[in-house]
Amino acid sequence: MKLLRGFLWLLVFQLIGHAVVEWLSLPVSHAMAGLLLLFAWLLVKRRLNENVATASQALLPLLAMLIMPGVVGVFFVIDEFAGHWTAVLIALGVGTFLSVLTTLWLMLRFMPKEAASSDERKPQS
Amino acid sequence: MNALYDSLINTPTLAVALTLAAYLGGVALFERMGRPSWCPAVLIGAVFTAAGLWLLRYDFADYQRNVAWLTLLLGPATVALAVPLYQQRQHIFALWKPILCSLPLAAVLAAFYAVLIAWLLGAPPAVLASLAPKSVTAPLAMGIQEQIGGSLSLMLGGLLITGVLTTIFVSLLARLLKITDQRILGFALGVNGHAIGIVRAFELGPKAGAFASLGMSLVGVFSALFLPLAWRLLGL
């Protein structure tokens, strides 16, 4: 029953998010508003409700499967975007390289030096 | 026979069963291939699904309509992302300063570079909108796409490519710039490469993994608020 109770909690937060977004005509998705409201509620309560934890543990591993039907559509829009694929691939390739470089630089600049701690393992790249 | 075929095609049950079978098949093959980071399980599953649709002569629009019974779960699953974010609150509170200095800029630039390059190469607005959420985790990116438009499928394809490229570029740049700090590498992986980056970060170590999850959540939340607003202001 924990799972069902938690699932109901998530649906209720999504519905509140839905209502708030429509009411204030905010430019965010209903589920996103639900996520923020649930996060705020958890911060206020300072305790993770056991039912919500159970439902999220059940649902989060399903995310990859739930987006897959959308990914399938890539094979059906190849013609629709014919002529733009070079632009898309260059934008993704060069854009991602630049944004990784920028993120690393920003983090090196702002992240305080790690206290010489136990965690000195080198990444095996 | 034709009546049977029609009724099977029109029941959501077949679409849901096909999706689950293709996904599980994709995961199984992914495991057999030794979990390659250049080829996510969800991509293999998508190829299987497309093959299944082709074999059954199943129209993609019909499939989309029927599988919506399953993908309805995407809503509550997205709301559930608040739980891991809440569990990371200690990291957020402890490092709020470097996060505040670097995260919004990193998130804006992740979208800006790709959109600018595509725009310079003459891509139409629908393509630009599809590329903008490229570093955002898929469920949140789908929420952004609802707001700014563009093609859902193109956007998701771009997301997968971005994730794979991020793992390659982070490994490369870490070696060139001699960065070994797990927090920095993990953060860069999560900020740019969403869930695919997180998988790579956990291979580097648990600390890199925790920071990748944190980076992904924060970029997702920030972009979901920022991109629709920017799109509205730019009048796109």
Side-chain angles (χ1 to χ4, degrees):
Chain A
M1 283 303 121
K2 271 185 205 153
L3 176 63
L4 274 189
R5 282 202 195 96
F7 189 59
L8 181 59
W9 272 104
L10 295 175
L11 290 177
V12 167
F13 270 97
Q14 192 187 349
L15 288 171
I16 301 173
H18 188 132
V20 170
V21 163
E22 292 301 321
W23 186 39
L24 302 173
S25 55
L26 297 174
V28 291
S29 76
H30 301 147
M32 182 65 213
L35 187 167
L36 289 177
L37 289 168
L38 177 57
F39 181 57
W41 184 78
L42 289 173
L43 285 181
V44 170
K45 292 282 277 188
R46 295 168 155 275
R47 201 179 61 83
L48 182 55
N49 178 320
E50 208 183 327
N51 300 325
V52 174
T54 308
S56 81
Q57 267 165 18
L59 278 174
L60 290 177
L62 300 183
L63 275 171
M65 185 272 290
L66 292 174
I67 62 152
M68 200 187 69
V71 178
V72 177
V74 175
F75 305 114
F76 295 87
V77 296
I78 290 177
D79 293 335
E80 192 186 328
F81 292 102
H84 298 301
W85 288 103
T86 331
V88 167
L89 291 177
I90 294 177
L92 289 174
V94 179
T96 304
F97 180 79
L98 289 176
S99 76
V100 167
L101 190 63
T102 318
T103 313
L104 287 174
W105 179 79
L106 282 169
M107 293 312 285
L108 283 175
R109 168 89 181 65
F110 290 112
M111 189 70 108
K113 284 275 169 288
E114 203 166 17
S117 67
S118 51
D119 207 304
E120 274 293 297
R121 267 184 34 203
K122 283 201 174 152
Q124 60 279 61
S125 48
Chain B
M1 195 62 202
N2 248 343
L4 174 64
Y5 173 80
D6 284 344
S7 74
L8 276 176
I9 287 295
N10 278 315
T11 169
T13 316
L14 179 68
V16 172
L18 174 67
T19 308
L20 294 185
Y23 180 69
L24 292 173
V27 171
L29 184 58
F30 177 72
E31 299 284 348
R32 285 290 285 276
M33 290 163 69
R35 316 175 70 88
S37 59
W38 51 270
C39 186
V42 60
L43 183 61
I44 308 174
V47 173
F48 284 165
T49 311
L53 293 179
W54 181 75
L55 284 174
L56 292 169
R57 280 172 292 151
Y58 200 145
D59 185 58
F60 183 62
D62 287 340
Y63 167 72
Q64 263 183 321
R65 185 168 43 81
N66 283 323
V67 83
W69 289 86
L70 179 66
T71 48
L72 182 71
L73 283 176
L74 201 54
T78 305
V79 177
L81 284 169
V83 172
L85 190 59
Y86 173 73
Q87 286 163 339
Q88 312 258 335
R89 66 197 181 285
Q90 259 91 19
H91 283 312
I92 305 179
F93 295 149
L95 291 167
W96 66 272
K97 229 188 214 164
I99 287 173
L100 199 66
C101 290
S102 54
L103 187 111
L105 192 57
V108 170
L109 287 175
F112 176 76
Y113 288 136
V115 171
L116 180 73
I117 293 167
W119 181 72
L120 289 174
L121 293 172
V127 171
L128 300 184
S130 310
L131 290 179
K134 78 185 207 6
S135 287
V136 179
T137 183
L140 299 185
M142 289 167 87
I144 295 175
Q145 190 266 338
E146 278 171 29
Q147 300 293 326
I148 69 176
S151 154
L152 175 68
S153 301
L154 181 58
M155 186 272 289
L156 288 171
L159 234 68
L160 287 182
I161 297 175
T162 303
V164 171
L165 288 176
T166 298
T167 60
I168 297 171
F169 290 147
V170 168
S171 306
L172 185 76
L173 287 167
R175 222 173 312 149
L176 285 176
L177 303 173
K178 297 188 173 54
I179 304 169
T180 52
D181 189 334
Q182 285 215 2
R183 300 171 307 166
I184 293 179
L185 294 177
F187 208 72
L189 282 165
V191 163
N192 295 290
H194 51 93
I196 299 175
I198 293 185
V199 173
R200 173 76 189 125
F202 272 108
E203 288 171 13
L204 298 179
K207 195 182 240 182
F211 273 83
S213 321
L214 177 67
M216 181 189 86
S217 314
L218 292 177
V219 159
V221 171
F222 178 81
S223 304
L225 300 175
F226 164 79
L227 282 176
L229 201 64
W231 235 250
R232 203 184 259 191
L233 291 176
L234 290 169
L236 282 164

